[in-house]
Amino acid sequence: MKYNFDEVIDRRGTATVAYDGQQKVYDYENLEPFWIADMDIKTPEFIIEHLKNKLDQAHFGYLVWKQDEYLNAIKNWYKKRFSVNVQKNDIYYVPSILFTVTEVIREFTKEGEGVLIHTPSYNAFLNLIEGNKREVVESPLIQTDEGYKLDVEQFEKVASREDVKVLVFCNPHNPTGKVWTKEECEQIKEICERHDVFIVSDEIHMDFVRSENGFYSMANLMQLDSPILVVTGLGKTFNLASLASSYMITKHRYFTMQFNRKLGTYYGLAAANTLAVEAVKVAYNQAEEWVDQLNDHIERNMRILKEFVDNEMSDQLSFIKPESTYLAWIDFSNSGYSEEKVQKALQSVGKIATGIGNSYELDESHHFRLNVACSEDKLIGGLEAIKQSFNALDNDEIE
């Protein structure tokens, strides 16, 4: 393998949230992080070198982001990786994914109205829906032995509600790692069109799809003024989350007009980040082999996790290996322990930070989320810590 993804890197003391922001979430300090969705893997060297060269220009005035090189990089990535024909006129620089999702919610719903979402859900979506005084309307995914499925009948029932005008669609899905099929995306689009529901599709994990059929973007289903918007960026794939910018793809002229007007005259956020734009250019033109090998590494780590759970902890845990993302959604209901006890054991005995299940679910949770985008050594250490934690529970060592 050309690239080494097993290099152990220590990000403590670098103001990285995964390490240095734990006190906001956890009861214990200095935990080994497996929680937040960024990687203990270095950003590719060719991106770093390109950005260093850009720094040498020694001036960073206001940037014209609408450059052919930037737009063509996105267009070509979608064509090569996903067989999607994206038009340059449909691509727009945006400050962030969550900002864009929030603007869709504000544009098409009023306070007190419902926003549809599949649960379990990425916790930031739940927070921003509630923070904007909208109602979370859930369409629970059905868990099967093969993975998670869409409950079509229930989804249409809630989509038909008069007060539901937006679907926040996580494609691929976080935290389950579900890959939405072409047929499911078409069903969702048809149901939403039938009931006048605008779809905003967060596709930030699109580069981590490892299923046989690959990734199917909602951009495939766009026609002129289709009530669909795709928003994504480099943050997850290339570990560039703190270069806070993204891009959206849409053919919806009314929303685009409103959004761009507000960026400049209401929020004052029209300026683009030079380094973020440059990162798109180099990543999407040079990173295919790097991304392929990264996915091979993540798939290997997922297999290690699956084998560990099945062979060492099947009495306590169950785990369906996801076809996308680097996030494992682990079920501890077999153990019979409450989430409070499991989290206390993981933190106090295992000394690890995992994604706390109840932040992704509206009811009591029997899951935790584990980030496997790390070295094999770190992952194995984390798995041993999980086993040690549940042994402590079984031996009644946790109060």
Side-chain angles (χ1 to χ4, degrees), residues 281-318:
K281 294 177 187 178
V282 65
Y284 282 173
N285 283 317
Q286 297 184 29
E288 282 202 88
E289 183 182 20
W290 188 90
V291 171
D292 289 341
Q293 291 187 19
L294 173 61
N295 271 308
D296 290 342
H297 175 79
I298 291 167
E299 180 64 20
R300 184 190 69 181
N301 278 357
M302 286 292 185
R303 286 198 299 266
I304 290 170
L305 169 56
K306 177 65 173 171
E307 289 169 5
F308 186 90
V309 169
D310 290 349
N311 298 333
E312 307 265 348
M313 299 193 67
S314 59
D315 289 344
Q316 295 120 328
L317 306 179
S318 61

Side-chain angles (χ1 to χ4, degrees), residues 21 25 55 92 110 119 171 198 280 303 313 344 362 378:
V25 180
L55 289 172
Y92 302 89
K110 300 174 184 175
T119 53
N171 179 31
F198 193 103
V280 167
R303 286 198 299 266
M313 299 193 67
K344 187 170 185 180
L362 300 182
K378 178 183 173 179

Side-chain angles (χ1 to χ4, degrees), residues 97-139 161 163-170 173-174 197-198 200 202 359-362:
I97 288 175
L98 292 179
F99 176 85
T100 307
V101 170
T102 302
E103 281 306 290
V104 171
I105 291 171
R106 289 175 176 171
E107 187 64 46
F108 296 106
T109 67
K110 300 174 184 175
E111 288 188 8
E113 291 187 329
V115 175
L116 182 54
I117 199 158
H118 296 106
T119 53
S121 168
Y122 173 40
N123 51 348
F125 293 155
L126 301 176
N127 294 339
L128 68 85
I129 292 169
E130 293 171 355
N132 281 277
K133 299 180 181 179
R134 271 66 170 176
E135 178 191 353
V136 175
V137 178
E138 62 175 328
S139 175
R161 280 177 39 171
D163 67 322
V164 172
K165 295 300 177 189
V166 169
L167 165 67
V168 178
F169 186 51
C170 197
H173 188 259
N174 174 13
V197 175
F198 193 103
V200 53
D202 173 2
S359 63
Y360 308 93
E361 302 190 76
L362 300 182

Side-chain angles (χ1 to χ4, degrees), residues 95-280:
S96 78
I97 288 175
L98 292 179
F99 176 85
T100 307
V101 170
T102 302
E103 281 306 290
V104 171
I105 291 171
R106 289 175 176 171
E107 187 64 46
F108 296 106
T109 67
K110 300 174 184 175
E111 288 188 8
E113 291 187 329
V115 175
L116 182 54
I117 199 158
H118 296 106
T119 53
S121 168
Y122 173 40
N123 51 348
F125 293 155
L126 301 176
N127 294 339
L128 68 85
I129 292 169
E130 293 171 355
N132 281 277
K133 299 180 181 179
R134 271 66 170 176
E135 178 191 353
V136 175
V137 178
E138 62 175 328
S139 175
L141 297 175
I142 301 170
Q143 185 173 345
T144 72
D145 291 339
E146 290 76 39
Y148 287 81
K149 305 293 182 186
L150 175 67
D151 185 337
V152 177
E153 184 177 341
Q154 192 275 345
F155 177 73
E156 176 143 30
K157 180 179 179 181
V158 290
S160 68
R161 280 177 39 171
E162 186 63 29
D163 67 322
V164 172
K165 295 300 177 189
V166 169
L167 165 67
V168 178
F169 186 51
C170 197
N171 179 31
H173 188 259
N174 174 13
T176 67
K178 172 180 171 55
V179 175
W180 299 94
T181 66
K182 176 177 183 289
E183 290 71 27
E184 286 176 318
C185 290
E186 289 173 343
Q187 278 184 310
I188 287 168
K189 182 238 183 188
E190 290 166 5
I191 290 169
C192 287
E193 271 193 350
R194 191 153 55 241
H195 299 291
D196 193 25
V197 175
F198 193 103
I199 301 170
V200 53
S201 183
D202 173 2
E203 301 188 353
I204 190 65
H205 293 281
M206 64 188 187
D207 293 314
F208 295 102
V209 172
R210 300 176 297 278
S211 64
E212 183 178 341
N213 293 325
F215 171 64
Y216 190 81
S217 172
M218 275 290 180
N220 282 291
L221 302 177
M222 290 179 186
Q223 298 176 335
L224 185 62
D225 290 328
S226 290
I228 301 171
L229 182 150
V230 165
V231 61
T232 188
L234 303 187
K236 295 290 183 282
T237 308
F238 303 103
N239 223 17
L240 292 167
S242 61
L243 283 187
S245 76
S246 302
Y247 59 89
M248 71 178 186
I249 302 169
T250 187
K251 292 180 177 291
H252 198 277
R253 290 175 294 182
Y254 171 77
F255 177 80
T256 301
M257 178 185 68
Q258 291 290 87
F259 181 86
N260 288 330
R261 178 183 62 81
K262 286 183 179 178
L263 274 185
T265 62
Y266 185 75
Y267 295 112
L269 290 174
N273 182 319
T274 297
L275 295 184
V277 169
E278 289 301 315
V280 167

Side-chain angles (χ1 to χ4, degrees), residues 2-148:
K2 181 177 178 180
Y3 300 102
N4 178 21
F5 299 105
D6 277 320
E7 180 183 357
V8 177
I9 61 173
D10 185 356
R11 298 188 289 161
R12 285 181 174 84
T14 62
T16 299
V17 170
Y19 288 83
D20 302 318
Q22 294 179 4
Q23 70 277 7
K24 294 182 179 180
V25 180
Y26 298 96
D27 297 324
Y28 297 81
E29 296 181 349
N30 299 317
L31 305 176
E32 189 67 25
F34 291 89
W35 62 296
I36 201 166
D38 63 11
M39 301 190 289
D40 271 329
I41 289 171
K42 288 183 177 179
T43 297
E45 191 63 30
F46 51 83
I47 294 180
I48 301 301
E49 286 302 314
H50 182 82
L51 297 184
K52 285 180 180 178
N53 290 336
K54 193 64 182 178
L55 289 172
D56 288 340
Q57 76 177 18
H59 62 85
F60 296 91
Y62 293 114
L63 179 73
V64 176
W65 66 263
K66 207 166 190 178
Q67 311 166 27
D68 279 343
E69 191 178 356
Y70 172 72
L71 298 172
N72 283 332
I74 295 170
K75 176 182 171 69
N76 293 339
W77 187 259
Y78 268 79
K79 181 64 176 177
K80 289 186 295 184
R81 303 294 290 185
F82 314 127
S83 300
V84 181
N85 291 312
V86 174
Q87 302 303 311
K88 289 193 290 185
N89 287 340
D90 299 332
I91 301 169
Y92 302 89
Y93 177 96
V94 298
S96 78
I97 288 175
L98 292 179
F99 176 85
T100 307
V101 170
T102 302
E103 281 306 290
V104 171
I105 291 171
R106 289 175 176 171
E107 187 64 46
F108 296 106
T109 67
K110 300 174 184 175
E111 288 188 8
E113 291 187 329
V115 175
L116 182 54
I117 199 158
H118 296 106
T119 53
S121 168
Y122 173 40
N123 51 348
F125 293 155
L126 301 176
N127 294 339
L128 68 85
I129 292 169
E130 293 171 355
N132 281 277
K133 299 180 181 179
R134 271 66 170 176
E135 178 191 353
V136 175
V137 178
E138 62 175 328
S139 175
L141 297 175
I142 301 170
Q143 185 173 345
T144 72
D145 291 339
E146 290 76 39
Y148 287 81

